[in-house]
Amino acid sequence: MKKHHVIPKALIPENRSFVVRKQIEPYFDPTFHLHPEFQLSYVIEGDGNRFVGDSIKPFTANDLVLIGPYLPHVWRSHNDYFEKDSGLSTTVVVVYFHDHFLGETIHDKEEFESIKHLFQRSQCGIEITGETQVLVSQLMIELLDLKGTDSIIQLLKILNIIALSDECHLITDTHSKSYNTEAETDRMNKVYEFIMKNFHRKIHLEEVASIASMTCTSFSRYFKSRVNQSFSDFLKEIRIEYACKLLKEDKMNIDRIGYECGFQSLTNFNKQFKKVTGKQPHQYRNEYQKMAVEAYHQYH
């Protein structure tokens, strides 16, 4: 019997060209999901890992990303955001729109050539950095208060700035299209969620494979084809990324950090950390502190 998928609820009302909103929550919605709308997200507050298609990258405040239709994504807050009484909070400004928010004009008329090209590139997800990020995020905040035609002009201005900027970087390879079905996304979601909750302990391949209802061999193949790296490498990156966060916070000694991130011994932690970052943990911490002090003096 064929399973019927629930069509995601439309994010934009029929009588509107687009939707912009500011969301303040204890943590970002941790579900890996996709939808037919374009999404432009500007993180004002919060940090964690950003999953877009087959890419996983840490994110912090000022993360600015454009995502094309049906590209699976989630901004997952670090585990401490989910703890009871954490006192932590996340803030994001999101714009949802369709490529036909101006009718078919964007596809037909040469004046919109650069925006049309931007929409094609957004199929891979686009990270926006540098001065463009500063400018666009400011315009997005202004957009929250604009109404009527002014709001449409502002959205076009935002898209045009992104389209013409060279500070935009594709997030994934195009091959991530291969799993844009709800069942696939659901399966990856369960796997990601399990990893994010348990990476601080030893994880056996059998455990994760059984969550995906697969044998170890077929799970390993499946995971690699979806995420473009082996399960063990992926797990290692998640652990090292969290270790970097703890090293920057400077509240724990290095042995304890290695243990908190799921490394069974300090030697192994040092070795794997150096393999991924090119530095020893203590070196990484010292360099970060030195940079923080310099930045502090520069602005005071």
Side-chain angles (χ1 to χ4, degrees):
M1 196 173 109
K2 190 173 181 301
K3 185 182 165 195
H4 291 287
H5 291 315
V6 182
I7 305 293
K9 194 163 89 261
L11 296 165
I12 306 166
E14 280 293 309
N15 60 338
R16 297 281 299 280
S17 302
F18 72 94
V19 165
V20 56
R21 57 172 178 250
K22 184 178 185 178
Q23 292 163 204
I24 302 171
E25 302 285 350
Y27 48 77
F28 289 114
D29 173 12
T31 321
F32 196 50
H33 64 287
L34 50 95
H35 43 71
E37 296 82 2
F38 286 81
Q39 173 179 328
L40 181 61
S41 290
Y42 162 48
V43 175
I44 297 178
E45 183 187 12
D47 59 358
N49 285 298
R50 163 170 35 86
F51 298 77
V52 174
D54 61 1
S55 150
I56 296 104
K57 274 184 91 172
F59 75 88
T60 54
N62 295 322
D63 189 56
L64 181 61
V65 167
L66 174 64
I67 285 175
Y70 299 108
L71 180 60
H73 57 276
V74 61
W75 274 251
R76 193 183 192 288
S77 307
H78 284 304
N79 288 348
D80 36 6
Y81 281 81
F82 296 93
E83 282 167 18
K84 197 168 170 295
D85 309 326
S86 79
L88 294 165
S89 169
T90 64
T91 308
V92 62
V93 175
V94 194
V95 184
Y96 296 110
F97 60 93
H98 288 291
D99 57 354
H100 53 72
F101 75 97
L102 287 179
E104 291 306 313
T105 314
I106 285 179
H107 297 284
D108 309 341
K109 306 288 185 265
E110 72 173 52
E111 290 89 344
F112 290 103
E113 196 56 48
S114 56
I115 289 182
K116 183 177 158 186
H117 184 53
L118 172 69
F119 286 172
Q120 287 161 349
R121 283 163 40 219
S122 74
Q123 297 298 321
C124 299
I126 296 173
E127 180 178 6
I128 300 138
T129 60
E131 286 173 24
T132 312
Q133 182 273 321
V134 176
L135 180 56
V136 169
S137 47
Q138 189 49 50
L139 293 171
M140 285 173 74
I141 288 171
E142 289 169 17
L143 183 58
L144 288 163
D145 298 321
L146 294 174
K147 297 275 180 287
T149 313
D150 285 340
S151 68
I152 295 279
I153 292 169
Q154 185 88 338
L155 178 56
L156 274 174
K157 187 174 175 183
I158 288 170
L159 293 173
N160 192 46
I161 289 168
I162 299 172
L164 300 176
S165 166
D166 56 6
E167 296 177 298
C168 296
H169 318 282
L170 294 186
I171 297 176
T172 72
D173 295 334
T174 41
H175 76 261
S176 64
K177 292 294 155 300
S178 60
Y179 63 92
N180 295 1
T181 71
E182 204 157 326
E184 286 291 289
T185 311
D186 195 42
R187 174 183 270 168
M188 282 312 276
N189 204 10
K190 286 182 182 145
V191 170
Y192 283 150
E193 196 173 342
F194 176 80
I195 296 167
M196 299 315 289
K197 281 185 178 160
N198 297 288
F199 69 80
H200 49 79
R201 64 168 178 84
K202 191 172 172 61
I203 293 180
H204 297 282
L205 188 60
E206 295 81 11
E207 291 179 89
V208 202
S210 74
I211 283 169
S213 316
M214 292 179 166
T215 64
C216 290
T217 323
S218 53
F219 173 74
S220 297
R221 242 195 338 261
Y222 166 81
F223 193 87
K224 180 127 197 207
S225 72
R226 296 298 176 274
V227 184
N228 218 13
Q229 60 183 159
S230 72
F231 175 70
S232 57
D233 283 348
F234 173 82
L235 185 57
K236 183 169 71 190
E237 274 184 27
I238 292 290
R239 285 173 169 159
I240 298 295
E241 193 276 310
Y242 190 61
C244 290
K245 175 180 163 16
L246 295 178
L247 287 163
K248 287 175 186 170
E249 286 174 0
D250 200 17
K251 291 176 188 160
M252 292 179 197
N253 66 34
I254 287 171
D255 301 27
R256 168 102 191 274
I257 289 176
Y259 186 69
E260 285 286 321
C261 297
F263 292 96
Q264 305 300 306
S265 74
L266 182 61
T267 332
N268 188 31
F269 174 48
N270 285 335
K271 187 175 136 196
Q272 302 298 349
F273 192 90
K274 183 149 197 232
K275 209 183 258 181
V276 173
T277 65
K279 296 172 183 150
Q280 293 287 358
H282 66 271
Q283 210 180 341
Y284 181 90
R285 172 179 270 173
N286 295 344
E287 283 178 25
Y288 177 77
Q289 285 169 342
K290 193 166 153 243
M291 258 165 42
V293 168
E294 282 167 9
Y296 177 81
H297 289 311
Q298 193 180 340
Y299 292 107
H300 288 76

